[in-house]
Amino acid sequence: MQATFHWLRIETFIYATEKEDLVRETFANLVGTDEFDTEVSEGEHGNRMLILQRMATKQKDMNLVFSNLGKDLLEQLVDDVDNRIDDDCVFYTRLDKQKAVCGEYAVAHHGDVISITGKVTSNPAKKEVAVKNFTAFIDSLLSPQTRQ
């Protein structure tokens, strides 16, 4: 099976006001490992800020991230797929970080998020092909045969 994405990047910020351990645990649960990059940065007001990032290039890692999102969110992503993949075949979504900390994954429309971005495999490199490939990927995750 051809990989769904060339790469998938999952990223979030930990602000000085947040519980670092809790956000790290939430992020690790989503990406399926506690092996991810951490970068120390400075926030807008000079506060310490951490950036957590995981780059996935293996299909099994990508499957795990999307499987962790749950059936309802996967269906929502497919329903809105035309708005989530751009003309360069890049998929975008943002998850509400505060809900994720509580164990619920939901699309966010604000800034405090866990972002998921990935270059969808498509040949030829056209949005329509990327949409079809992404939809087939999600459908395969939702089918009972692929659940473990």
Side-chain angles (χ1 to χ4, degrees):
M1 178 183 174
Q2 180 180 353
T4 306
F5 295 92
H6 293 285
W7 51 265
L8 188 69
R9 182 180 63 231
I10 307 94
E11 184 176 72
T12 196
F13 299 98
I14 303 176
Y15 300 101
T17 57
E18 295 177 314
K19 294 182 180 178
E20 182 179 331
D21 291 344
L22 187 57
V23 177
R24 281 183 176 277
E25 180 182 341
T26 300
F27 192 79
N29 287 339
L30 175 61
V31 300
T33 181
D34 59 1
E35 295 178 12
F36 46 80
D37 295 328
T38 302
E39 181 182 325
V40 179
S41 187
E42 189 174 295
E44 186 176 334
H45 301 287
N47 299 348
R48 178 177 177 261
M49 179 175 71
L50 298 176
I51 303 169
L52 307 183
Q53 185 181 93
R54 170 81 170 156
M55 288 295 291
T57 56
K58 295 181 180 169
Q59 188 65 45
K60 67 178 182 133
D61 296 335
M62 298 171 198
N63 290 357
L64 180 62
V65 169
F66 280 91
S67 294
N68 285 340
L69 297 179
K71 179 182 183 277
D72 291 341
L73 184 53
L74 292 179
E75 289 174 348
Q76 186 179 352
L77 293 176
V78 168
D79 289 344
D80 195 31
V81 69
D82 284 328
N83 294 319
R84 302 217 167 267
I85 296 178
D86 67 15
D87 290 336
D88 293 323
C89 304
V90 177
F91 167 83
Y92 300 93
T93 196
R94 297 161 17 120
L95 306 176
D96 186 310
K97 184 170 60 175
Q98 298 308 315
K99 287 184 179 180
V101 165
C102 296
E104 175 189 350
Y105 295 116
V107 171
H109 301 285
H110 53 75
D112 194 18
V113 300
I114 300 171
S115 66
I116 301 174
T117 308
K119 178 74 169 179
V120 181
T121 303
S122 57
N123 191 8
K126 294 186 176 186
K127 179 178 179 173
E128 303 79 41
V129 177
V131 165
K132 181 180 173 188
N133 289 347
F134 179 80
T135 302
F137 166 64
I138 298 299
D139 287 346
S140 75
L141 292 177
L142 292 171
S143 74
Q145 294 86 356
T146 60
R147 293 194 182 144
Q148 298 178 355

